[in-house]
Amino acid sequence: MKIKYIGLAMFTLSLTFSYAQERTKDTIGDQTVNVIKPYTPTISDAFKIKDNPKLNDSNAVKKKEIKYNIFSIPVASTFTPAKGKAATVDKAKAIKLYDNYASLGFGSYTTILGEVYLNHELSRDENVGGYFSHHSSQGGIDDVLLDDNFSKTKLNAYYKKSDRDFTWQVDGGFNLQTYNWYGVPQDFYDESDLDGIDAGQTYNDLYVGGKIDFEDAIVKDASLRFRRFGDNHDSAENRLVAKTSFDFVVQDAVIKSEFSIDYISGTFDRDYSNIGEINYGNVTFGFAPSYQLVQDDLTIDLGVKLAYLNDTEFSENKFFIYPNIEASYRLVDEILIAFGGLKGDLIQNSYYDFVNENPFVSPTLLVTPTDQQYKMFVGAKGKLSRNIGYSLKGSYSSEKNKALYKSNDVPSDALTEYKYGNSFFVAYDDVTTFSVAGELNVDLNRNFTLGVKGEYFGYSTDNESEAWNLPDLTASVFLDYQISEQWFAGASMFFVGEREDQSTYFDILNPLNTTTTAVTLDSYFDANAHVGYKANDQLSFFVKANNIASQNYNRWSNFPVQGIQLLGGATYQFDF
């Protein structure tokens, strides 16, 4: 039996050994699995204080029991409370606005000032109106040798209609202006030399135009205007200006664009030397696309302006490219905003524009465009407080063929009313201008506003010795004050710095005797004020005083202005 059990044991060990050898060839490794019993927390009862602590303090004060006895006595009362009423706020009287007004005034130097503005609503979407004004003076300036009276008359009428998708308007008018070339240099002539000379000049202006504005359309607006301008010396000028603005998309970017056509043609009956007539004319095409980039407090307008000029008189063509870039950045909300830009333009000069700036030019001008190559500017603006705003700006520009007003030569055989040193011509030169400007606006409330402006200029010319008749400093102050419900007042003050001009006496018989004299026009200060009284909603009276300091300064060389001028009148508002 022992041998039997020993044999069985030997067989079992051999079998186990052989199985172990086979497992060494297996690729699956041993794994150990640990079974852990899940955590099953238990909550024990909280310890609670079952008995309140007892104080054994001999200093503790025992509370005394207090008994209240109320003895009521009836009181007879006859008081009856009144019903409450809601408090009311006094409403300000609504201001009645009128669609029309008329004003008339009379003053010193036999001055007449009149205005009439009319507006009538034909229907909910239609309006028609007009405007008429007249300002004249019979003159009377001391120490002038020729008549110095003037007059300005303007007449305008319009019709406006609003539709669902657009609004359009047409208008037309006529202007008439009369002046005198009274600025004769007394160094050259005396009163006997000017007997019988009529130095009057009359300008007439007829225009018609229209404009249309679209809502939610690719084309935003379009306008067209034609003007016929002339004088009583057989000068004539025609000008047609068409403009439109529209948007188009380039790769999901909206490009704002402006397109314009400006045509001008004119003629002067003679040149200053009486050799022949002067003709001028050109047509310009302008296209100005721009893209606006807005990111947080930064706004940038990136654009360019293309201009094509066709000189119809000399058959010359030119193409111009100008920068059109402007940017602004809010440094401190509304308190400080920095801005800057680089721009340029082809400026279309005209006889009409020259006359409105200087009515004493001679009808013998050369009219040509000004090429403003570039104008760089940088500045800051914002508000010092809720009621005070400011602006500071510096600029530098370069212009080719900039128009400058210069006194005409005085020929020894002057036979024409504007050849006595009493008229101006336009001299063109390449001019660079540096300027620094500042502005301050104060709006304390609805009853008081104040504005102050000032600008300094520095010029550099290529051919001319000076930038003729351009001031080196200008400043102005404007003030309006509503004293009470009936009384109101205002004032304005202007300062213009020194200007340079040149006077030339030309001896036709002996040109060697020609003399040229430099002329410096003194700076001047002009203060004006007005006071008004409102009698009722429709009628008010006013008194105005101009050139209060009574400075007989020269606005142009040899052209003194009127002294202190007083004018009074009334204004009446009404409805049809």
Side-chain angles (χ1 to χ4, degrees):
M1 290 296 295
K2 290 181 180 179
I3 296 173
K4 182 178 178 179
Y5 284 114
I6 292 172
L8 180 61
M10 294 293 290
F11 175 79
T12 303
L13 290 173
S14 62
L15 183 63
T16 303
F17 178 77
S18 64
Y19 177 76
Q21 289 180 335
E22 292 293 330
R23 288 292 299 171
T24 58
K25 300 178 181 180
D26 197 353
T27 59
I28 299 176
D30 296 339
Q31 294 182 356
T32 302
V33 177
N34 297 323
V35 177
I36 301 174
K37 184 179 179 181
Y39 175 65
T40 55
T42 59
I43 301 175
S44 61
D45 292 337
F47 176 76
K48 301 178 181 179
I49 298 176
K50 298 180 180 180
D51 297 327
N52 293 327
K54 296 181 179 180
L55 299 177
N56 295 320
D57 191 352
S58 60
N59 294 327
V61 179
K62 296 181 179 180
K63 294 182 179 180
K64 295 182 179 181
E65 184 179 357
I66 301 175
K67 295 182 179 180
Y68 296 94
N69 294 322
I70 300 175
F71 183 70
S72 300
I73 300 175
V75 178
S77 176
T78 60
F79 172 74
T80 302
K83 295 181 179 180
K85 295 182 179 180
T88 59
V89 178
D90 294 335
K91 295 182 179 180
K93 184 180 179 181
I95 300 175
K96 171 64 176 177
L97 300 178
Y98 296 91
D99 293 333
N100 315 280
Y101 77 86
S103 180
L104 182 63
F106 300 92
S108 56
Y109 294 93
T110 319
T111 300
I112 301 175
L113 177 64
E115 291 182 337
V116 177
Y117 175 80
L118 303 175
N119 179 61
H120 180 63
E121 185 175 314
L122 298 176
S123 65
R124 181 180 178 182
D125 302 323
E126 292 179 286
N127 287 78
V128 63
Y131 174 78
F132 171 81
S133 70
H134 176 81
H135 182 201
S136 64
S137 173
Q138 297 304 310
I141 301 175
D142 296 335
D143 301 327
V144 297
L145 303 179
L146 297 175
D147 293 336
D148 58 300
N149 59 291
F150 71 90
S151 69
K152 302 177 185 178
T153 303
K154 299 180 180 180
L155 178 64
N156 172 271
Y158 72 91
Y159 172 80
K160 183 177 182 180
K161 181 175 175 59
S162 299
D163 290 321
R164 179 179 180 182
D165 298 324
F166 58 88
T167 299
W168 61 277
Q169 174 179 322
V170 293
D171 70 305
F174 178 77
N175 299 329
L176 182 66
Q177 304 178 65
T178 62
Y179 293 92
N180 284 275
W181 288 296
Y182 64 87
V184 176
Q186 299 184 16
D187 295 338
F188 296 159
Y189 305 98
D190 55 30
E191 189 172 358
S192 61
D193 297 326
L194 304 173
D195 290 341
I197 294 179
D198 181 10
Q201 169 70 305
T202 300
Y203 301 107
N204 52 79
D205 173 20
L206 177 66
Y207 63 92
V208 62
K211 183 179 181 181
I212 184 169
D213 296 313
F214 296 95
E215 296 289 341
D216 299 328
I218 296 177
V219 178
K220 299 301 180 182
D221 56 62
S223 63
L224 181 69
R225 182 165 297 277
F226 171 78
R227 185 183 300 276
R228 168 76 176 187
F229 183 76
D231 58 28
N232 63 347
H233 286 74
D234 297 327
S235 306
E237 180 181 79
N238 298 315
R239 188 175 184 183
L240 178 67
V241 179
K243 295 181 179 180
T244 184
S245 62
F246 56 91
D247 297 344
F248 63 91
V249 180
V250 177
Q251 296 182 351
D252 298 332
V254 178
I255 307 299
K256 297 182 179 181
S257 304
E258 295 181 357
F259 180 75
S260 64
I261 301 176
D262 193 339
Y263 169 80
I264 189 171
S265 68
T267 180
F268 293 102
D269 185 59
R270 67 187 69 179
D271 60 12
Y272 196 73
S273 301
N274 293 329
I275 296 177
E277 65 179 14
I278 300 175
N279 296 311
Y280 60 94
N282 62 69
V283 57
T284 61
F285 299 88
F287 179 59
S290 64
Y291 172 72
Q292 187 176 78
L293 175 63
V294 180
Q295 185 174 4
D296 297 331
D297 294 327
L298 177 65
T299 301
I300 302 177
D301 290 324
L302 299 173
V304 65
K305 186 167 186 178
L306 310 176
Y308 173 77
L309 172 65
N310 178 18
D311 193 320
T312 58
E313 287 296 322
F314 297 96
S315 300
E316 295 181 355
N317 301 315
K318 292 183 179 180
F319 185 73
F320 303 88
I321 301 178
Y322 299 103
N324 190 16
I325 303 172
E326 189 170 2
S328 65
Y329 183 74
R330 296 178 181 270
L331 296 173
V332 186
D333 295 330
E334 299 293 332
I335 299 176
L336 179 59
I337 301 174
F339 64 89
L342 177 63
K343 294 189 174 185
D345 198 5
L346 183 64
I347 302 173
Q348 181 76 285
N349 294 314
S350 67
Y351 185 35
Y352 170 81
D353 294 331
F354 290 152
V355 167
N356 279 273
E357 189 171 1
N358 183 353
F360 308 111
V361 293
S362 62
T364 58
L365 304 180
L366 176 63
V367 180
T368 189
T370 295
D371 176 17
Q372 187 183 67
Q373 296 178 304
Y374 61 85
K375 182 177 182 179
M376 299 182 296
F377 59 92
V378 63
K381 61 182 179 180
K383 289 187 175 181
L384 300 176
S385 67
R386 189 179 66 176
N387 302 318
I388 302 177
Y390 70 92
S391 176
L392 298 173
K393 181 180 178 181
S395 66
Y396 183 82
S397 64
S398 175
E399 296 173 286
K400 285 189 174 183
N401 291 330
K402 181 178 178 63
L404 305 172
Y405 299 103
K406 185 179 180 182
S407 294
N408 273 313
D409 297 343
V410 183
S412 57
D413 62 341
L415 300 175
T416 309
E417 59 269 30
Y418 52 80
K419 289 188 178 181
Y420 291 87
N422 55 345
S423 65
F424 299 83
F425 74 102
V426 176
Y428 293 92
D429 196 7
D430 297 344
V431 181
T432 58
T433 305
F434 168 76
S435 69
V436 178
E439 181 177 352
L440 185 68
N441 294 304
V442 180
D443 190 0
L444 296 182
N445 49 52
R446 295 181 179 180
N447 297 329
F448 180 84
T449 58
L450 172 67
V452 181
K453 297 180 181 179
E455 188 166 8
Y456 167 80
F457 300 92
Y459 308 98
S460 176
T461 57
D462 281 356
N463 300 318
E464 302 291 336
S465 58
E466 297 287 348
W468 307 117
N469 280 292
L470 292 181
D472 56 358
L473 180 64
T474 61
S476 60
V477 179
F478 299 92
L479 170 66
D480 284 302
Y481 180 47
Q482 185 71 36
I483 303 173
S484 64
E485 186 176 351
Q486 286 79 30
W487 289 94
F488 57 91
S492 61
M493 290 161 280
F494 303 92
F495 175 83
V496 177
E498 291 185 348
R499 292 139 292 143
E500 301 296 331
D501 203 341
Q502 194 175 76
S503 177
T504 301
Y505 180 81
F506 183 73
D507 191 341
I508 295 179
L509 298 179
N510 188 1
L512 296 178
N513 292 333
T514 299
T515 59
T516 300
T517 305
V519 178
T520 299
L521 282 73
D522 295 333
S523 59
Y524 64 86
F525 177 80
D526 194 333
N528 313 292
H530 68 271
V531 177
Y533 175 77
K534 186 177 180 181
N536 51 52
D537 290 342
Q538 294 181 268
L539 181 62
S540 60
F541 300 92
F542 62 86
V543 176
K544 297 182 178 181
N546 296 331
N547 195 8
I548 297 176
S550 193
Q551 290 186 332
N552 293 324
Y553 59 84
N554 289 310
R555 175 62 184 87
W556 303 97
S557 180
N558 298 316
F559 280 86
V561 301
Q562 295 177 351
I564 184 171
Q565 306 145 42
L566 300 176
L567 183 141
T571 299
Y572 182 74
Q573 302 180 77
F574 59 95
D575 285 333
F576 287 130

